[in-house]
Amino acid sequence: MAIEGNAWPSLPLEKWEGTYETLRLWFQIVGKVRLSQTPWINHSWHVPLYVTTRGLTTSPIPYGARAFEIDFDFIRHRLLIQVNDGTERELPLRPQSVSRFYEELLGELEELDLGVTIHGTPNEVEGAIPFADDHDHASYDPEYANRFWRVLVQADRVLQRFRAHFIGKNSPVHFFWGSCDLAVTRFSGRPAPPHPGGIVNLPDWIVREAYSHEVSSAGFWPGGGPHPFPLFYSYAYPEPDGFNSMKVQPDTAFYSAELREFILPYDVVREADRPDEVLMDFLQSTYAAAANLGKWDSVRLERDDPTSNRGGTK
């Protein structure tokens, strides 16, 4: 499948909303498998998925002395379970209910002697239906599932480049299945005031631990609610005075009072002559707004010429 010339595919939310809602719940089931077996890491960095050359992966999950991983493959449209003893299982990604997906995945893990127990209700979802009882969400459009992954590949690539400019505490670029967004987070190094919490179906203590320190965070989200279109976002916690009125790049970016984030519509990036540069301008200018107003120690935390990309021979 050639993707040159169409690296940034269109992804109108209204065309794949059913698939998006179903995939989001499938991601949660797989992510909760990882969560159930993985030691707690600060800011919930033990729970996300990661972009791969075919889809999304849990990365290796410990299970006693064994290890396994679960991969979404959006090229061949399958879910692959691989164990470090060489065994593997494959489930097709097709239109099917969340309940069926949940039953089949946990059943396959049990047959591999990888029995797990997960919290059976979605997080960060209004009107959450327990996975075992969810027969309503059952859509899967392979074309749009593939487009979504291709957008993640491009977003991940640029976010990795942006991440390389920061030498302070810096998260991986990772996909949070609760909110269904690809994110990278920079830290000032200073503690933050307790977060107010209040995120639907997510315990406040988890939110407060995630935001225990000052952050500037950015990423990609397929959209929803007040902004029903795919978008890039950037926010600061705590939000410094004046942040919402700062001038950022490009001119089409704006501050969303509903989300308390700067937003750049994905289509602005997709349709640009130089998509990478437009997105980098957004990421850098919104971070600079947060860091300058928040009086971050930029000399200690940043570098102008990252060398993580250096190649060649000695």
Side-chain angles (χ1 to χ4, degrees), residues 1-226:
M1 175 177 56
I3 62 173
E4 284 296 329
N6 192 23
W8 301 84
S10 64
L11 194 68
L13 184 60
E14 68 274 11
K15 295 288 189 180
W16 74 297
E17 194 162 9
T19 294
Y20 168 47
E21 291 174 351
T22 301
L23 271 178
R24 181 180 179 183
L25 296 167
W26 292 358
F27 292 151
Q28 292 218 12
I29 294 167
V30 171
K32 284 171 180 278
V33 170
R34 182 183 183 210
L35 170 62
S36 72
Q37 298 300 122
T38 308
W40 194 280
I41 299 175
N42 54 192
H43 317 301
S44 298
W45 291 355
H46 60 302
V47 306
L49 306 178
Y50 306 95
V51 176
T52 73
T53 55
R54 303 188 70 90
L56 288 165
T57 184
T58 60
S59 76
I61 301 169
Y63 193 90
R66 303 165 72 201
F68 69 101
E69 69 179 34
I70 305 175
D71 292 351
F72 286 89
D73 179 345
F74 293 123
I75 295 177
R76 289 184 55 190
H77 301 288
R78 58 180 182 161
L79 188 78
L80 186 62
I81 308 167
Q82 299 179 91
V83 190
N84 69 320
D85 61 10
T87 57
E88 62 182 53
R89 293 286 191 278
E90 183 177 312
L91 297 172
L93 296 177
R94 64 188 190 279
Q96 62 178 321
S97 69
V98 169
S99 174
R100 181 68 179 271
F101 181 89
Y102 176 70
E103 179 184 1
E104 288 191 355
L105 174 56
L106 294 191
E108 291 291 349
L109 291 174
E110 190 71 40
E111 288 190 13
L112 290 166
D113 293 322
L114 297 169
V116 298
T117 300
I118 69 172
H119 178 64
T121 302
N123 296 108
E124 302 183 57
V125 175
E126 294 278 2
I129 305 170
F131 301 125
D133 301 326
D134 189 345
H135 306 284
D136 298 339
H137 298 96
S139 300
Y140 186 77
D141 183 329
E143 167 66 23
Y144 277 94
N146 178 270
R147 290 191 192 193
F148 172 58
W149 158 69
R150 284 159 56 199
V151 173
L152 292 182
V153 168
Q154 300 308 316
D156 180 79
R157 180 176 57 78
V158 179
L159 289 170
Q160 297 284 3
R161 177 181 158 200
F162 172 67
R163 182 180 187 270
H165 288 260
F166 195 79
I167 57 176
K169 180 177 175 179
N170 206 352
S171 81
V173 178
H174 44 200
F175 181 83
F176 279 103
W177 40 262
S179 48
C180 214
D181 66 311
L182 186 73
V184 64
T185 303
R186 296 174 167 187
F187 292 78
S188 74
R190 299 189 300 247
H195 194 283
I199 296 177
V200 63
N201 291 318
L202 190 66
D204 287 347
W205 71 265
I206 293 179
V207 182
R208 291 184 180 126
E209 196 280 332
Y211 291 100
S212 61
H213 289 71
E214 291 180 348
V215 301
S216 173
S217 190
F220 170 80
W221 183 49

Side-chain angles (χ1 to χ4, degrees), residues 239-302:
E239 183 177 300
D241 291 341
F243 181 70
N244 61 353
S245 60
M246 290 295 288
K247 176 70 173 175
V248 301
Q249 296 298 320
D251 291 340
T252 43
F254 63 94
Y255 184 85
S256 166
E258 296 90 348
L259 299 181
R260 298 184 64 85
E261 300 174 351
F262 279 104
I263 283 174
L264 177 62
Y266 166 71
D267 282 349
V268 171
V269 176
R270 181 176 72 85
E271 295 168 0
D273 291 336
R274 303 177 69 185
D276 289 25
E277 280 61 38
V278 170
L279 179 51
M280 281 292 290
D281 285 346
F282 173 74
L283 297 171
Q284 185 56 40
S285 65
T286 53
Y287 160 72
N292 291 339
L293 291 172
K295 296 180 172 56
W296 288 30
D297 185 354
S298 59
V299 173
R300 182 175 60 88
L301 297 174
E302 301 169 22

